[in-house]
Amino acid sequence: MSCDLVETLKQMAVRSLAYAAFCFAVQHISPIVSPLVIPGFNKLKEDKAKASNWYNRNVSFVHASIMFVRAYHFWTTQQDWRLTVSQAAINERGVSEYESLTIDIMIGYLVYDTIYEFRHNKGVALMLAHHLVGFFSHVLTRAFCSGPASYYT
């Protein structure tokens, strides 16, 4: 499987930034939806910090749900991982389109959450370090089309 670095990075940037925009949309829709679902939510809205944290948790919940569904789908329907019998075959396989999209989604979420942390929590150092390490791990997996790395990032 060949990997064109420039095309891979372009695709990754477009899809990741689109997903980050989706995360921001979920955050901005949360003030509209939350009062409809949670009785007494308007009282929480009075404290802007608590309300902002709630909206961020909504985004985290939606993201975690999407990732769970994608992981479940992968492990139950994608057959190529079961057919791989040797490390050499794993190394040659590269990253499937399904895996690369899932990684791009994760990168997009890290972009969203890093921006959120800077804006609302003044960039908690350990959280930012966690996001940077994850970000570079995912980007390198995509940049080098590394099948084995996709299982560890």
Side-chain angles (χ1 to χ4, degrees):
M1 179 178 283
S2 66
C3 182
D4 180 339
L5 180 61
V6 174
E7 286 304 312
T8 297
L9 293 177
K10 281 183 193 176
Q11 180 188 56
M12 181 184 60
V14 167
R15 295 192 314 193
S16 296
L17 292 175
Y19 189 77
F22 166 76
C23 291
F24 281 108
V26 170
Q27 181 183 351
H28 290 291
I29 290 170
S30 289
I32 298 165
V33 175
S34 295
L36 302 173
V37 179
I38 309 292
F41 179 78
N42 288 330
K43 191 169 215 152
L44 176 69
K45 278 175 57 174
E46 294 169 7
D47 183 338
K48 287 189 179 198
K50 284 183 181 177
S52 175
N53 188 291
W54 173 260
Y55 306 146
N56 181 253
R57 288 175 191 260
N58 287 338
V59 175
S60 296
F61 175 78
V62 169
H63 170 69
S65 299
I66 289 169
M67 294 303 281
F68 171 79
V69 169
R70 290 189 68 80
Y72 180 80
H73 174 74
F74 177 81
W75 290 112
T76 58
T77 65
Q78 304 291 313
Q79 299 299 316
D80 64 339
W81 70 273
R82 294 184 195 143
L83 302 175
T84 303
V85 292
S86 70
Q87 188 63 43
I90 292 172
N91 291 342
E92 286 180 23
R93 183 180 70 78
V95 179
S96 72
E97 177 58 26
Y98 190 86
E99 292 166 309
S100 68
L101 177 57
T102 303
I103 292 169
D104 294 347
I105 287 170
M106 190 63 217
I107 293 169
Y109 176 75
L110 290 172
V111 168
Y112 156 79
D113 207 41
T114 300
I115 292 169
Y116 176 87
E117 289 296 325
F118 266 117
R119 288 179 58 206
H120 298 281
N121 295 329
K122 305 303 180 227
V124 178
L126 288 176
M127 181 64 79
L128 293 178
H130 159 77
H131 285 168
L132 284 175
V133 169
F135 176 82
F136 286 117
S137 175
H138 291 306
V139 168
L140 291 174
T141 297
R142 288 283 278 125
F144 294 106
C145 297
S146 174
S150 68
Y151 293 110
Y152 299 104
T153 56

